[in-house]
Amino acid sequence: MCHDEHGMRLLIVEDEADLATALARGLRRSGYAVDIAADGLRGWELAETNEYDLLVLDLNLPGMDGMDLAACVRRSRPHLAILVLTARSGVDDRVSGLDAGVDDYLVKPFHFEELAARVRALLRRGLPTREPVLRVGNLALDPAALRAWQGEVEILLTPKEFGILAYLMARPGAVVSQEELLEHVWDAFADPFTHTVRVHVSSLRRKLHDDADRPVHIETVIGRGYRLLPAGPAR
Ligand code: CA
C-alpha cells in the first residue's frame, strides 16, 4: 500500500474528469495519497477493497448515485470520513445527506482551498475519534482494535460474534431482539433468518464459557431476545 508521509489515503469519486484530476493533483500536493473513481460502482469497489481515510464523493454519478454509495460504504466502513460535493443546494438534500452518514458537504462551485480546509478538518477529527473501550462486568471490548477480553484473557471472536458482543455491551441490561441484532450486525445481503443469530450467539457463549441455563453474561429472554447481564460474573 502506498501511503505517503501523512499516511492518509483519499478516494475521489467524481465523473467530471477535469475536476477529479484537478482535485487529485491539489490533494497530492498537500501530501495525501489519492485514488480516483469515475463512476459510483467503481467507487464502491475501491472503497470496499482499500483502507481509505476519507472519501470525496460527487452526488450525481453514473453507475450508482452518490447517496446510495455513501449509505453502502457507511455500513462496511463506519469510520471513513465522507465529504460530499454537490451541485444540488436544496436543504432537503443536505439533510438526507447527513442522514446517510455523510460528514460534510461542499456545494459546487467551490475553491480548492475550501475543499482542502474541509479535508484537513475531517481527517483531524478522525484521528482522536477512536471509540472508547466498552467494559461490562469482567468483559472488555475495544471496537477500534477489534479485540475483546474476559478478565485478562483475550477472547478470539469471529466478526459476527464480535458484532453481537459489541452491540450487547453497548446496551448492558437491555433486552435486544434477534431481529435487532440481524439489522445491526449483519449487512444488507444477510441471510434474513433469526436462526443465524442463534447459532452465532451460542458460539459466542461457548467462547465466554457461559451456560445458557445459568448465564453469567448473556441471558436468553424467552420470546424477546437476549440481555447482557450488567454485573457480569460474581467471582
Ligand atoms: Ca457528477
Side-chain angles (χ1 to χ4, degrees):
M1 215 161 286
C2 75
H3 278 288
D4 62 329
E5 58 191 307
H6 293 248
M8 292 292 185
R9 191 169 181 192
L10 279 52
L11 174 64
I12 298 173
V13 188
E14 167 62 79
D15 59 321
E16 289 168 52
D18 290 349
L19 179 58
T21 310
L23 293 180
R25 193 184 307 128
L27 289 168
R28 285 183 188 127
R29 207 176 293 138
S30 307
Y32 306 112
V34 183
D35 295 335
I36 298 175
D39 68 74
L41 287 172
R42 178 70 182 144
W44 190 23
E45 192 179 296
L46 285 175
E48 290 290 310
T49 45
N50 299 303
E51 293 290 333
Y52 292 106
D53 299 290
L54 186 141
L55 182 59
V56 177
L57 179 64
D58 181 33
L59 279 195
N60 223 333
L61 288 168
M64 185 183 206
D65 181 70
M67 273 299 113
D68 294 339
L69 175 56
C72 290
V73 164
R74 185 46 80 221
R75 277 198 289 271
S76 52
R77 297 269 188 258
H79 303 295
L80 175 64
I82 302 179
L83 171 61
V84 152
L85 308 179
T86 177
R88 312 170 189 171
S89 59
V91 169
D92 289 348
D93 277 331
R94 298 182 190 201
V95 171
S96 72
L98 295 171
D99 281 350
V102 163
D103 298 288
D104 200 1
Y105 57 86
L106 207 48
V107 177
K108 292 180 182 177
F110 53 84
H111 290 290
F112 178 76
E113 289 314 319
E114 174 69 17
L115 175 102
R118 303 281 184 105
V119 165
R120 277 196 302 275
L122 284 172
L123 290 175
R124 244 196 328 265
R125 199 184 73 184
L127 290 179
T129 55
R130 197 181 149 95
E131 290 174 71
V133 173
L134 298 168
R135 291 178 201 282
V136 179
N138 72 341
L139 299 178
L141 180 144
D142 184 341
L146 297 175
R147 297 175 71 185
W149 298 264
Q150 186 175 36
E152 298 299 311
V153 181
E154 181 160 9
I155 326 159
L156 300 177
L157 300 174
T158 65
K160 294 293 184 254
E161 293 161 356
F162 188 89
I164 291 170
L165 186 59
Y167 196 81
L168 292 172
M169 284 182 72
R171 296 155 185 79
V175 177
V176 173
S177 71
Q178 295 177 343
E179 289 76 13
E180 194 176 340
L181 286 171
L182 259 188
E183 192 173 318
H184 291 275
V185 179
W186 270 257
D187 60 31
F189 310 104
D191 172 2
F193 297 108
T194 49
H195 171 70
T196 316
V197 177
R198 283 201 295 280
V199 170
H200 289 269
V201 167
S202 62
S203 64
L204 174 60
R205 270 186 173 134
R206 266 197 306 281
K207 290 185 181 178
L208 297 173
H209 311 289
D210 206 12
D211 179 354
D213 296 326
R214 298 175 56 198
V216 289
H217 293 298
I218 301 173
E219 180 184 40
T220 300
V221 184
I222 298 188
R224 300 283 303 283
Y226 305 100
R227 171 162 48 210
L228 189 75
L229 297 169
R235 344 184 169 106

